[in-house]
Amino acid sequence: MQVYPNCTVSFPKYIGDNVCHGGDYNTAKCGFDGGDCRDFNAKYPNCTVLYPSSIGDGYCHGGAYNTAGCGFDGDDCEDFNAKYPNCTISYPSWIGDGDCDSGDYKPGTTDWNEFGYYNTAECGFDGGDCTSGTSKNNEEHEH
């Protein structure tokens, strides 16, 4: 890649393709994805997520997306945060989806409880999907 000789990414063709890619693409040595991330970085200078195009896409993403630095997912999490201000989970869409979720699954791991819990008072006992905070009283569903 002649324009960015120090840019070492898996898919160089993504640089300058009019889509802001995160991670190593959105760095100075890759020209902030060949300029594709200029608007994103100006609006969210403290937001470092893998998929910047998910910010403000109309869907509330959790984790690093639902932070002040990312504008609470470009305001996509406004309703969720108003209803569950102390519920910190990775998949807000699982709240109130009809399944009682026991923990917060992190892809690539077998530990459902590594990053928070859905079946808590803070999360409205999974948005009403669980009958209480104890798993004995619930039929739990793991996504």
Side-chain angles (χ1 to χ4, degrees), residues 18 42 60 70 76 103 135:
N18 295 315
C60 178
C70 293
D76 289 343
S135 59

Side-chain angles (χ1 to χ4, degrees), residues 4-128:
Y4 306 104
N6 297 320
C7 179
T8 55
V9 292
S10 298
F11 302 98
K13 67 181 180 179
Y14 289 178
I15 303 291
D17 68 351
N18 295 315
V19 175
C20 177
H21 302 282
D24 291 338
Y25 296 86
N26 191 10
T27 61
K29 52 184 189 178
C30 291
F32 300 101
D33 199 15
D36 293 342
C37 295
R38 186 178 308 124
D39 292 341
F40 176 83
N41 291 340
K43 190 169 184 177
Y44 305 108
N46 298 313
C47 182
T48 55
V49 293
L50 193 55
Y51 303 103
S53 60
S54 294
I55 301 289
D57 66 354
Y59 179 82
C60 178
H61 304 276
Y65 296 83
N66 189 11
T67 61
C70 293
F72 300 102
D73 197 11
D75 293 328
D76 289 343
C77 293
E78 185 176 357
D79 292 340
F80 176 83
N81 291 338
K83 191 168 185 178
Y84 306 106
N86 297 312
C87 179
T88 305
I89 54 173
S90 292
Y91 302 100
S93 64
W94 290 7
I95 297 288
D97 67 352
D99 294 316
C100 178
D101 300 299
S102 61
D104 188 13
Y105 175 66
K106 181 181 179 193
T109 71
T110 56
D111 185 357
W112 277 81
N113 301 319
E114 189 171 339
F115 289 96
Y117 299 90
Y118 291 84
N119 189 11
T120 62
E122 293 81 7
C123 295
F125 300 107
D126 196 13

